[in-house]
Amino acid sequence: MDTNWYDLYADKLKALGHPVRLKLVIGLMNNECNVTKICKGLNIPQATTSQHLAILKNKGIIKGRRDGTSICYSIEDDGVREMLNKLLEATECELEDCQQA
């Protein structure tokens, strides 16, 4: 395999290695969401949420779509989505249960 692939996915895994970012991406697996809803769901300030979103967006994990005055975020990388589905399956964690953890 190309070493660039390893570098790319090592960076993506590092981005997902933070508990807040992991929870954020798992939360986006079924629904796109705007910053306000993400802040409320994670119970963290808007500035902190924006920093986490920027990291995930820069790594190509999520994307933003303008909806009026807000931006709705969704998962961009289907490989990350599949990987997290496998992780949830392997740990026998239902998506709803993990979001409450």
Side-chain angles (χ1 to χ4, degrees):
M1 242 182 227
D2 185 6
T3 57
N4 289 334
W5 182 90
Y6 291 104
D7 292 338
L8 175 68
Y9 277 90
D11 281 345
K12 289 184 185 219
L13 289 170
K14 283 183 213 173
L16 292 169
H18 191 285
V20 170
R21 289 192 291 270
L22 182 60
K23 190 172 183 180
L24 192 156
V25 173
I26 287 174
L28 292 174
M29 287 181 59
N30 287 330
N31 300 308
E32 65 178 21
C33 204
N34 65 30
V35 175
T36 303
K37 288 181 182 177
I38 294 170
C39 291
K40 288 180 184 175
L42 297 176
N43 197 27
I44 58 176
Q46 188 271 329
T48 305
T49 301
S50 293
Q51 289 174 346
H52 287 299
L53 289 168
I55 290 167
L56 294 168
K57 192 172 178 186
N58 288 337
K59 298 302 178 189
I61 297 170
I62 64 170
K63 63 181 176 182
R65 176 186 60 79
R66 183 155 297 281
D67 184 24
T69 59
S70 65
I71 298 176
C72 291
Y73 291 92
S74 61
I75 297 178
E76 167 82 7
D77 188 322
D78 288 332
V80 168
R81 181 190 307 273
E82 185 176 337
M83 178 184 60
L84 291 176
N85 274 325
K86 298 281 185 194
L87 177 63
L88 293 170
E89 181 182 306
T91 58
E92 297 179 355
C93 185
E94 295 294 323
L95 190 56
E96 295 79 23
D97 295 339
C98 291
Q99 289 174 335
Q100 295 174 10

